[in-house]
Amino acid sequence: MENQVTDKSGSLFQKALSLVPGGVHSPVRSFKGLHTTPRFIQSAKGAYVQDVDQKQYIDFCMSFGPLILGHRYPEVEAKLQEALQRGWSYGACEPYSLELADFIISRIPFIDQIRFVNSGTEAVMTAVRLARGYTGRHKIIKFNGCYHGHLDSMLIKAGSGLAGTAEASSKGVPPGTAQDTLIVELNNLAELSQCFNEHPGQIAAIIIEPLPANNGLLVQDLSFLKELRKLCDQNQSLLIFDEVISGFRVEFGGMATHTGINPDLVTYGKIIGGGLPVGAVAGRKEIMQFLAPVGPVYQAGTLSANPLAMVGGLATLQCLTPEFYSKLESYSESVVSIFNSWLKTQDQFKNLQILRKGSLFWIVPTDQKIKNIKEIPADLAKRFYDLFKALLDKGIYLAPNAYEIGFISIAHDEKVQNDLKDRLFK
Ligand SMILES: *Cc1c(COP(=O)(O)O)cnc(C)c1O
């Protein structure tokens, strides 16, 4: 079973390895450390993906979050097909992005203006530049374990030297860049206040995933999130909520409306495009007006607000009613309780359990609430690897990494839940 190669996926991966670095276009897809080759997916529908060897899986990766409606939701597919007939890129003003902008702005009270880009990374890159341009300051506070895309200034981890030092987490990021990102532990107010005290008048912004979900699911105390807003106000720094995962997921207005905390800027991605490449930065008008062409902070994009992607995003967001979210919550509760009851019956896995926040879940070997990365059990990856393989064999597809979370969609309905039970317990 070690290094098991499924027929067609295995040979496609061999080919991919010669054509593409590591065989993948994004590292997590490579199944690194999982001792099996990636499955090549050829098609999908609802809660299921099918690989090139014709094996079907119940999908809990869901493209890492965008597919809150599942694969090929009929309304979205129909609108996309219509849009395709009209053309798919103009590099000019078009009405479709306005419909999406209007839909979002009219529903999320703290947003006056929005700009669409092509990915979450681009959204964060723009938000960080905008915060610096608006405040005239350089330093950004980032939390250890939060992921904000692959821009240089966010590929920074806590330094191995003195407390408060930071270094690049990737080769190719210059030390000068690392120096302007300050790393603080999640859920640690004392460290955060100290950071402001040590850099008076220099902090442009705090950026945080208000529901950190890229290094496991590290649910923060509400009091901690509220303190961020207070500290930013006291220091004339901006608060950036990176809601690329949590936006339109925990509820339509993401963690901002969920907690009642208004960030100055918010970044979106994933669900906002419904599975097409869309990101966005949004916020108060006086800040957004700093963007080119009206303001001095440059930002642009040949394919930004791509009409096909705008239509896919709008069709997706239009389905996200209050009834939708209560249904999703009940499906999520059922799915997680099925997984948990199965885990208990398995000698090998009975110490694992699922932490859930709405339709997001994380499998961990502890029942403690984990709030920062120092509390994550060290043997997590090893234990995940066995579970991942067992589930994959049963036709259940998790995101292929212990630190990635699972995503439940509205396609994971009663029928799929029954199928999940069959696949687990048979
Ligand atoms: C996925 C993600 C990003 C990066 O988005 P991409 O579209 O992959 O560039 C940024 N921030 C958060 C919180 C994310 O989950």
Side-chain angles (χ1 to χ4, degrees):
M1 291 294 281
E2 290 299 292
N3 289 315
Q4 147 201 24
V5 173
T6 64
D7 309 331
K8 283 193 184 151
S9 281
S11 57
L12 284 178
F13 192 53
Q14 287 310 312
K15 185 171 183 189
L17 284 169
S18 72
L19 297 174
V20 180
V24 291
H25 299 281
S26 194
V28 71
R29 296 178 196 172
S30 70
F31 281 35
K32 199 173 165 186
L34 296 174
H35 303 282
T36 179
T37 51
R39 303 303 185 263
F40 280 64
I41 306 302
Q42 66 177 17
S43 63
K45 177 75 186 155
Y48 294 88
V49 289
Q50 180 159 326
D51 73 11
V52 290
D53 293 297
Q54 315 308 321
K55 180 160 176 164
Q56 252 199 4
Y57 304 84
I58 304 178
D59 184 11
F60 290 102
C61 175
M62 284 291 156
S63 191
F64 290 97
L67 302 175
I68 194 167
L69 302 177
H71 296 274
R72 294 177 53 205
Y73 195 74
E75 272 99 315
V76 178
E77 188 167 341
K79 294 263 178 65
L80 282 174
Q81 266 163 0
E82 245 174 64
L84 206 49
Q85 315 278 311
R86 295 188 294 256
W88 47 86
S89 192
Y90 313 118
C93 293
E94 38 57 53
Y96 312 108
S97 59
L98 286 190
E99 287 178 46
L100 181 57
D102 210 9
F103 193 82
I104 294 170
I105 292 170
S106 64
R107 282 165 182 75
I108 304 183
F110 67 91
I111 297 178
D112 302 323
Q113 294 198 319
I114 190 164
R115 177 159 287 173
F116 294 114
V117 295
N118 305 296
S119 69
T121 297
E122 264 189 74
V124 171
M125 187 176 75
T126 302
V128 165
R129 187 182 305 130
L130 183 52
R132 287 172 165 160
Y134 179 77
T135 59
R137 301 171 178 181
H138 299 324
K139 299 214 183 283
I140 306 286
I141 294 179
K142 173 192 180 292
F143 294 93
N144 211 9
C146 283
Y147 178 70
H148 301 291
H150 59 97
L151 57 153
D152 284 3
S153 65
M154 293 293 113
L155 292 179
I156 311 294
K157 59 181 180 187
S160 51
L162 295 171
T165 58
E167 59 190 48
S169 58
S170 162
K171 289 279 183 203
V173 175
T177 300
Q179 192 188 312
D180 283 328
T181 303
L182 305 168
I183 304 293
V184 172
E185 284 306 321
L186 280 164
N187 227 59
N188 187 330
L189 266 181
E191 243 188 58
L192 185 61
S193 308
Q194 190 189 340
C195 192
F196 272 101
N197 291 336
E198 283 172 7
H199 304 277
Q202 296 175 53
I203 312 287
I206 296 179
I207 186 165
I208 188 169
E209 288 178 79
L211 177 61
N214 278 286
N215 218 301
L217 194 57
L218 309 171
V219 181
Q220 301 295 290
D221 293 336
L222 179 60
S223 59
F224 175 73
L225 295 174
K226 285 190 165 157
E227 203 62 30
L228 301 181
R229 179 67 276 174
K230 214 190 270 173
L231 277 167
C232 283
D233 289 343
Q234 285 164 359
N235 293 280
Q236 289 88 48
S237 305
L238 300 187
L239 179 59
I240 305 171
F241 271 6
D242 180 356
E243 300 234 45
V244 170
I245 283 188
S246 52
F248 315 106
R249 172 66 67 175
V250 295
E251 59 181 62
F252 192 89
M255 284 297 282
T257 58
H258 191 64
T259 58
I261 300 168
N262 290 348
D264 300 293
L265 290 172
V266 61
T267 52
Y268 297 120
K270 302 195 168 108
I271 293 173
I272 199 175
L276 291 102
V278 182
V281 55
R284 291 213 312 276
K285 185 170 178 180
E286 89 186 272
I287 304 171
M288 293 299 289
Q289 290 284 310
F290 261 66
L291 282 176
V294 278
V297 174
Y298 192 69
Q299 188 277 332
T302 302
L303 296 176
S304 285
N306 172 269
L308 200 58
M310 294 292 105
V311 167
L314 180 62
T316 300
L317 298 195
Q318 280 172 334
C319 297
L320 308 183
T321 58
E323 299 73 46
F324 168 91
Y325 286 106
S326 41
K327 203 181 210 183
L328 182 63
E329 174 67 20
S330 96
Y331 288 176
S332 303
E333 202 181 334
S334 305
V335 163
V336 167
S337 88
I338 293 166
F339 269 124
N340 274 334
S341 58
W342 176 75
L343 286 169
K344 277 196 208 103
T345 66
Q346 303 296 302
D347 265 358
Q348 195 188 358
F349 304 129
K350 65 170 181 271
N351 297 320
L352 290 170
Q353 45 217 303
I354 299 193
L355 265 170
R356 180 177 77 89
K357 172 81 180 171
S359 52
L360 304 175
F361 68 89
W362 186 33
I363 304 165
V364 280
T366 173
D367 54 6
Q368 303 298 308
K369 288 218 161 77
I370 303 177
K371 290 178 184 162
N372 72 53
I373 62 171
K374 291 183 167 165
E375 296 164 5
I376 299 176
D379 62 346
L380 180 70
K382 161 81 186 75
R383 307 184 76 175
F384 175 79
Y385 143 72
D386 291 329
L387 178 69
F388 178 80
K389 268 183 86 175
L391 293 180
L392 199 67
D393 288 345
K394 289 175 178 292
I396 298 164
Y397 189 93
L398 298 176
N401 183 291
Y403 298 90
E404 299 285 350
I405 59 170
F407 295 91
I408 296 163
S409 79
I410 208 68
H412 293 88
D413 59 10
E414 288 91 354
K415 201 157 164 252
V416 174
Q417 291 158 30
N418 284 330
D419 186 20
L420 176 64
K421 272 185 227 163
D422 288 346
R423 286 172 191 235
L424 283 171
F425 289 98
K426 85 175 165 216

